[in-house]
Amino acid sequence: MSEVVLTRTVNESQSERSEIIFPSDANALGNLFGGRLMQYIDLVGAMAASRHARAITITASMDHLDFVAPVQIGDLLILKASVNRAFRTSMEVGVKAIVEDIRHNRLRHVSSAYLTYVAVNLDGSKLVVPQVVPETEHQQRRYEDAARRREMRSGETQRKKEMRASLGDGWHL
Ligand SMILES: CC(C)(COP(=O)(O)OP(=O)(O)OC[C@H]1O[C@@H](n2cnc3c(N)ncnc32)[C@H](O)[C@@H]1OP(=O)(O)O)[C@@H](O)C(=O)NCCC(=O)NCCS
């Protein structure tokens, strides 16, 4: 019989992914496309959420995405994701993207985002997720901030629900 896990630490699901930026990922100025960066952010965020939930997770929303500085062809991009807080079936994940300047051994913050993932079964039904146990002062602060952000996005969540209800099955001629 599998054991029901009610809590998990942040460290248990922290995830990281690295990319070298190629010309096919960049615009005419040699800067990484914003959409490609969003894809990387979503993927690393999903890794952390799925590790936390030990389940498939789907992206419910991405908010507060800051493009702080451009990423250029040849840059080594590092993306780090942590589950800030779990609610019932959803989790807020914070992602930070940094560029490592290998020659000068220094780091540059290029982007940050908060995403919400929902844990689901193979049939798409939602799953209750373990709560997050913050262990450091930093994690505790992010845990508390996540509750405030959830409160702020609740209006948007409600608006999305109403939109889905008004669209019916979503197909239009
Ligand atoms: C995300 C999704 C599963 C939510 O389904 P729903 O029927 O609205 O579910 P509920 O109202 O029960 O919400 C489930 C959880 O998601 C949260 N949630 C729903 N919409 C959200 C949003 N826009 N932002 C943040 N959280 C959201 C709810 O707060 C709830 O959290 P909780 O259980 O921890 O309290 C549904 O909207 C969906 O499937 N969307 C498409 C997702 C997708 O395809 N993503 C990939 C992009 S192409």
Side-chain angles (χ1 to χ4, degrees):
M1 201 174 71
S2 65
E3 186 193 348
V4 178
V5 179
L6 298 177
T7 60
R8 244 187 262 291
T9 64
V10 177
N11 293 353
E12 281 180 88
S13 61
Q14 248 159 5
S15 299
E16 188 171 316
R17 171 190 170 111
S18 307
E19 300 285 339
I20 296 276
I21 307 307
F22 288 103
S24 56
D25 300 316
N27 63 20
L29 294 174
N31 295 335
L32 176 66
F33 287 120
R36 180 75 82 203
L37 182 55
M38 286 166 77
Q39 181 190 15
Y40 295 148
I41 287 172
D42 189 21
L43 286 170
V44 74
M47 283 181 208
S50 297
R51 277 183 173 150
H52 181 84
R54 302 281 202 271
I56 301 165
T57 55
I58 51 178
T59 316
S61 66
M62 181 188 278
D63 55 42
H64 202 88
L65 173 62
D66 282 328
F67 294 113
V68 181
V71 182
Q72 287 161 339
I73 294 170
D75 277 349
L76 171 59
L77 177 69
I78 302 164
L79 300 116
K80 296 182 178 192
S82 315
V83 179
N84 292 335
R85 188 162 181 150
F87 299 98
R88 187 167 181 277
T89 64
S90 70
M91 296 148 279
E92 187 201 88
V93 177
V95 176
K96 189 169 184 178
I98 49 184
V99 163
E100 182 178 331
D101 178 346
I102 302 162
R103 282 180 306 151
H104 301 100
N105 192 27
R106 54 187 186 176
L107 302 171
R108 189 176 69 217
H109 175 204
V110 291
S111 188
S112 298
Y114 298 111
L115 303 96
T116 302
Y117 295 88
V118 176
V120 292
N121 263 325
L122 277 176
D123 65 3
S125 56
K126 284 162 260 180
L127 288 171
V128 175
V129 295
Q131 292 301 295
V132 168
V133 183
E135 294 181 299
T136 65
E137 213 175 292
H138 190 54
Q139 290 172 2
Q140 182 64 36
R141 187 170 46 76
R142 291 197 299 203
Y143 180 86
E144 285 161 17
D145 288 349
R148 280 192 279 277
R149 280 189 293 269
R150 176 175 159 98
E151 194 57 39
M152 288 193 304
R153 71 173 76 90
S154 65
E156 187 56 25
T157 306
Q158 185 54 31
R159 189 196 59 76
K160 182 172 154 185
K161 252 184 178 326
E162 287 164 10
M163 186 172 71
R164 286 175 71 207
S166 74
L167 287 172
D169 67 3
W171 293 101
H172 298 272
L173 290 175

